[in-house]
Amino acid sequence: LKEQLDNARSECPLRPHTFLVPKDVQQDIITKAAIVDDIKAHNTDITHKEAEEYAEKACQDARCLYATLAYIKHGADICALLNEGINDHALPLVRKPNDRNASLYLQNGSLVKAMTTWRPKHRENFDRVQWWMTSPIFEHGAHYSLDEKTVLPFIPLDAKDASLVKKQGGYSEVYPVRIHPAHHKFWKADTWQENEPLVAVKQLFSSDETEFSKESTILKALGPKNHANLIKLLATYEMGKRYHLMFPYANANLRKYWEDHPFPAFNKDTALWSLKQMCGIASGLQLIHAFKVTVPLSVPGAGGAGSLDVRLGKGKGLGRLKVEKGEQWFGRHGDIKPENVLWFAEDQCSAHPHPMGVLKIADFGLGRFHGRDSRSRVNPETVISSPTYEPPECKLRLPVSRAYDIWSLGCIYLEFITWILRGSPAIDAFADFRGREATDTQIDDDNFFTIVNEDGVLKANVREGVLAWTEQLHAEKNCSELLHDLLDLTMSELLVIESEKRSKASWLHVQLKNLLGRAESDPDYLLKPVPRKAVSGRSNSAPLLDTPKIDGKRNSVTFLDQEKPAAAKTQFKVPVIDNPRDLVLRNLGTPSFKPSHVGKTTTWPVSQRPQFAR
């Protein structure tokens, strides 16, 4: 038995010289007949019937215990331990520090009498090997408090995955693991270990339970809803005073997906998939925004409930970013960007996966604002940053709310439409085109808005480069009626300076569902080119694009020698759905709300662009 168990063990990739003997292997090797033979060979005074009874009990409640005993050649002692009432539920047995006798105790402190006659070396061996046999089996939604000696059921990555490395951020690090198929119940296990999908383990740097609660509460609550476009929390565990969260491992984030598919075919599959993902992301954000948290999403010690200390820029130190009253009790994301939207080629959690894969919002547990609060592990005085997808209220030092996410989503949608019409190199060209040199940092700021000083009062406008780019997208030769509507919706409902006038996530989802319904039934609406002629003259200042090179690199789309436009106040005013939104929502069974701007004008760890701090 020892030889069979020894041959079946697998070395843990995270902790060299520690091993895993998987549960399915134990079940195959540790049989009732094998235990009976072991007992009778070393206990001649035990009858065959008694040996069978002990073996039956061992197979039911003490297989790990017996496997440990068999490995150190003390298998027959299973009888004395069972007589003492010890089984798998009593594991791990405890060895006290600096005890030269290596005595073993139960969790309640009682000495294990059956082992007192053993040599100390054998007790030491038991203490070491018991961890190999007791690796946890992870179940959906469960939390595990694990001893530091626990052998996690991770198996070595194969050659194609070996190049994957840890990705570290300001609050956590994420690394890929492959869990032995017998040690999880996340999805149907594959017969071949190397075919098991990877799992992303996110280790939080903070050991604060409140921070862990912020991260996990909304993820656990929304998990059972099985939303196709929200990342699913598989399980959590605490080990070594560190909290860990487990997620499906993504093939890429949205930015990497765009770069890997630099020039998508303009056809039904691409257009409908893109629209479905936009609609699904809005629906997922609606769930996040409707969730009422139990731990307020504000930072303790930052100057009062609902306030955050933020970096204002080089030499300006810290300022106060406040959350609108009441908003700290609702879910929000706070860092929507392409890097936090993950692409899965196959969705293990879906019964009907899309052949082109699915996009999922990730990193929505904390409700932080682009990592700009004072708890990120960076000296604010030394940081030069320009968060691309943040809304203007941050720089205007106005209270922030869930509308923060709506602006960020508008930025992503505009880049998404750019990808559909012009390919991923044009996304970089767009960033360069709207980029402006920030006076306080001397680096490019590629925000979607511009701060202006009017008579001593700071105000914000949608950046003229954004408006010019949008007009040129409208004028693209392949721009269909659907894409016109998406652009109009983005500019009139999402990229709106006044946060209270931005669309709610629920209303945005309704409008996108309407567009999707029409696109699925009307091929001309979906794909027939109907480019608009620019009327403002703005698009004349937008970059003319050279013939792109298929390399996905920055500068593969270049500007002709043109000047970037200055900021302007102009905003779009284009209605997408004629019926009042409160009526539409009421008809759909959604609680009604009074529209606030009827008749008014009105964003797992892959590549990052070095020119801008994301």
Side-chain angles (χ1 to χ4, degrees):
L1 286 177
K2 176 188 176 354
E3 185 177 353
Q4 291 182 63
L5 291 168
D6 197 53
N7 291 335
R9 67 182 186 169
S10 172
E11 189 168 9
C12 181
L14 299 184
R15 289 172 57 189
H17 310 299
T18 59
F19 298 88
L20 164 71
V21 179
K23 288 289 193 291
D24 58 341
V25 171
Q26 294 182 44
Q27 289 181 339
D28 290 341
I29 295 176
I30 308 301
T31 64
K32 181 178 177 181
I35 299 175
V36 169
D37 289 344
D38 194 9
I39 292 173
K40 291 187 66 179
H42 297 86
N43 295 282
T44 56
D45 56 334
I46 292 181
T47 66
H48 184 79
K49 183 178 180 181
E50 289 174 327
E52 284 188 327
E53 290 175 352
Y54 281 120
E56 184 69 30
K57 288 181 181 178
C59 287
Q60 287 180 354
D61 301 313
R63 186 176 259 114
C64 294
L65 174 61
Y66 177 76
T68 306
L69 294 170
Y71 192 90
I72 63 172
K73 296 186 177 182
H74 272 271
D77 287 333
I78 188 66
C79 302
L81 288 164
L82 289 174
N83 288 338
E84 200 172 334
I86 298 173
N87 54 29
D88 284 353
H89 298 293
L91 299 179
L93 300 183
V94 180
R95 177 189 169 195
K96 295 181 179 180
N98 301 315
D99 181 0
R100 301 178 73 84
N101 287 322
S103 299
L104 295 173
Y105 300 82
L106 298 176
Q107 300 289 336
N108 62 10
S110 301
L111 179 68
V112 179
K113 298 175 183 177
M115 294 181 176
T116 54
T117 58
W118 292 12
R119 294 180 182 177
K121 181 179 179 180
H122 292 174
R123 288 193 290 268
E124 285 183 15
N125 285 340
F126 183 96
D127 180 44
R128 178 173 56 92
V129 173
Q130 66 175 334
W131 299 100
W132 304 1
M133 310 297 176
T134 55
S135 190
I137 298 176
F138 292 112
E139 297 193 25
H140 239 137
H143 177 70
Y144 301 83
S145 296
L146 303 178
D147 191 284
E148 288 187 84
K149 295 180 183 178
T150 301
V151 176
L152 294 168
F154 303 153
I155 56 180
L157 301 180
D158 55 29
K160 65 180 173 57
D161 298 320
S163 61
L164 299 175
V165 296
K166 288 183 179 182
K167 303 292 182 180
Q168 186 168 315
Y171 303 94
S172 62
E173 64 179 8
V174 179
Y175 51 89
V177 301
R178 179 168 278 116
I179 304 177
H180 191 283
H183 282 263
H184 73 83
K185 296 182 180 179
F186 298 150
W187 44 72
K188 186 177 180 181
D190 199 290
T191 307
W192 301 97
Q193 296 181 18
E194 60 269 20
N195 293 336
E196 273 292 301
L198 293 177
V199 169
V201 175
K202 181 176 184 177
Q203 177 180 301
L204 305 184
F205 293 143
S206 173
S207 58
D208 182 15
E209 187 176 357
T210 301
E211 287 293 293
F212 170 67
S213 296
K214 286 182 182 181
E215 181 89 13
S216 61
T217 300
I218 187 170
L219 289 162
K220 286 183 177 179
L222 296 184
K225 296 184 181 295
N226 292 313
H227 195 285
N229 299 94
L230 293 181
I231 191 71
K232 194 174 184 68
L233 179 65
L234 299 175
T236 60
Y237 63 93
E238 180 185 6
M239 184 176 179
K241 297 181 180 180
R242 287 288 184 267
Y243 290 99
H244 304 75
L245 301 93
M246 305 172 79
F247 303 92
Y249 195 86
N251 298 88
N253 60 42
L254 181 54
R255 187 172 304 285
K256 185 68 164 57
Y257 178 84
W258 285 335
E259 292 174 352
D260 290 343
H261 302 79
F263 299 105
F266 187 73
N267 57 24
K268 178 180 178 180
D269 289 341
T270 299
L272 275 182
W273 178 81
S274 299
L275 181 56
K276 285 178 180 178
Q277 301 313 306
M278 292 184 195
C279 186
I281 289 170
S283 173
L285 188 60
Q286 176 186 351
L287 270 184
I288 295 172
H289 283 185
F291 180 76
K292 291 189 176 181
V293 301
T294 54
V295 179
L297 294 182
S298 53
V299 178
S307 65
L308 303 171
D309 288 334
V310 300
R311 301 184 288 272
L312 298 177
K314 186 177 181 181
K316 295 186 179 180
L318 294 176
R320 186 62 45 77
L321 180 63
K322 298 197 71 176
V323 179
E324 281 186 12
K325 185 178 181 180
E327 281 289 320
Q328 70 268 28
W329 296 106
F330 286 93
R332 62 173 180 262
H333 192 291
D335 199 8
I336 293 179
K337 56 185 177 181
E339 287 77 12
N340 282 337
V341 178
L342 304 181
W343 175 71
F344 293 82
E346 296 180 14
D347 188 0
Q348 298 293 331
C349 301
S350 173
H352 307 287
H354 194 285
M356 292 180 67
V358 64
L359 296 177
K360 294 177 182 281
I361 303 174
D363 228 17
F364 58 83
L366 283 172
R368 291 196 177 101
F369 292 96
H370 283 274
R372 291 166 69 91
D373 61 81
S374 58
R375 294 171 67 106
S376 66
R377 299 177 157 196
V378 185
N379 181 354
E381 292 293 342
T382 64
V383 170
I384 300 175
S385 65
S386 172
T388 301
Y389 304 98
E390 75 172 12
E393 48 263 36
C394 292
K395 289 189 177 177
L396 293 175
R397 305 185 202 179
L398 296 174
V400 294
S401 66
R402 286 166 285 181
Y404 187 114
D405 291 335
I406 299 300
W407 175 278
S408 303
L409 198 59
C411 301
I412 284 190
Y413 283 0
L414 198 50
E415 291 187 332
F416 215 135
I417 300 166
T418 297
W419 174 76
I420 294 171
L421 287 171
R422 293 180 164 181
S424 63
I427 296 174
D428 287 341
F430 180 27
D432 288 335
F433 175 65
R434 71 177 185 271
R436 299 167 61 87
E437 187 177 281
T439 56
D440 57 343
T441 62
Q442 302 303 311
I443 64 166
D444 268 0
D445 141 32
D446 65 339
N447 289 128
F448 285 66
F449 63 88
T450 300
I451 301 295
V452 295
N453 190 325
E454 294 185 1
D455 300 324
V457 179
L458 291 180
K459 294 184 179 180
N461 299 311
V462 176
R463 186 159 291 180
E464 180 69 16
V466 174
L467 301 175
W469 186 270
T470 303
E471 281 203 7
Q472 198 179 60
L473 291 179
H474 277 298
E476 274 289 319
K477 63 178 183 178
N478 284 332
C479 195
S480 64
E481 192 175 348
L482 166 65
L483 295 179
H484 287 309
D485 285 347
L486 283 173
L487 286 167
D488 293 339
L489 174 62
T490 299
M491 300 306 297
S492 65
E493 300 267 357
L494 311 184
L495 294 182
V496 180
I497 296 299
E498 298 89 344
S499 61
E500 69 276 6
K501 295 181 181 178
R502 291 176 206 145
S503 174
K504 300 290 191 292
S506 56
W507 177 242
L508 174 62
H509 179 228
V510 167
Q511 296 187 86
L512 289 172
K513 276 187 69 176
N514 284 347
L515 298 185
L516 178 59
R518 184 178 174 188
E520 289 177 325
S521 61
D522 186 348
D524 286 346
Y525 175 73
L526 177 66
L527 292 174
K528 183 179 179 181
V530 283
R532 288 183 190 171
K533 186 176 180 181
V535 293
S536 69
R538 221 182 253 117
S539 64
N540 293 330
S541 63
L544 302 178
L545 300 181
D546 287 338
T547 303
K549 301 173 185 177
I550 306 179
D551 58 7
K553 302 293 184 182
R554 199 187 252 304
N555 296 329
S556 58
V557 171
T558 58
F559 302 138
L560 297 185
D561 188 17
Q562 298 185 48
E563 218 175 282
K564 297 179 184 178
K569 296 183 182 180
T570 311
Q571 294 182 352
F572 286 89
K573 179 184 177 183
V574 185
V576 177
I577 296 178
D578 294 331
N579 291 333
R581 68 184 61 194
D582 58 335
L583 175 60
V584 176
L585 289 171
R586 191 159 57 246
N587 290 339
L588 291 174
T590 304
S592 62
F593 63 93
K594 184 178 179 181
S596 60
H597 63 289
V598 174
K600 296 183 180 180
T601 60
T602 60
T603 116
W604 326 327
V606 201
S607 62
Q608 293 187 357
R609 288 181 272 168
Q611 286 83 350
F612 306 108
R614 293 282 175 195

